Amino acid sequence: MAYYVYILASRKHGTLYIGVTNDLVRRVYEHRSKAVPGVTTKYGIDKLVLFEIYDDPASAIAREKELKKWRRDWKTRLIEEQNPSWDDLYSGIAN
């Protein structure tokens, strides 16, 4: 089973949210549809700008915790290395 660490953004260079899940399509859909109240609903954070895939939950959780400790400019650089225009990647995974 795959596990995902993902970063959502409100807009380019906007508010970021980092999470981990074993069902990326479902979880991002929950954020987008505002199904669960929380920070992503409050600040309109629903654009999938980056995700990484891991084989086990421990590795994914460790990476999520690592990214959450990073400075914002490091997170921005990571996103822009893989997604320079901050495109919403959800349509590419939701098929």
Side-chain angles (χ1 to χ4, degrees):
M1 173 178 270
Y3 297 86
Y4 304 89
V5 175
Y6 61 95
I7 300 179
L8 301 177
S10 58
R11 58 184 168 77
K12 187 172 183 176
H13 299 285
T15 306
L16 300 177
Y17 174 87
I18 300 172
V20 65
T21 185
N22 66 346
D23 187 343
L24 186 61
V25 174
R26 175 192 51 81
R27 189 66 183 117
V28 175
Y29 176 79
E30 290 172 352
H31 288 297
R32 293 170 77 90
S33 65
K34 301 176 182 3
V36 180
V39 69
T40 58
T41 299
K42 183 176 180 179
Y43 295 103
I45 307 168
D46 60 3
K47 186 175 176 183
L48 179 65
V49 293
L50 181 99
F51 65 92
E52 300 174 346
I53 305 169
Y54 295 88
D55 293 329
D56 64 280
S59 297
I61 292 167
R63 177 63 168 166
E64 176 200 28
K65 289 180 179 181
E66 176 187 27
L67 289 175
K68 285 183 174 185
K69 291 178 184 177
W70 280 20
R71 294 174 18 172
R72 180 177 177 83
D73 61 320
W74 297 352
K75 295 173 196 173
T76 299
R77 191 173 315 122
L78 177 67
I79 293 165
E80 291 183 345
E81 284 172 358
Q82 298 182 40
N83 186 0
S85 58
W86 293 60
D87 294 326
D88 189 351
L89 305 174
Y90 183 71
S91 62
I93 63 164
N95 296 328

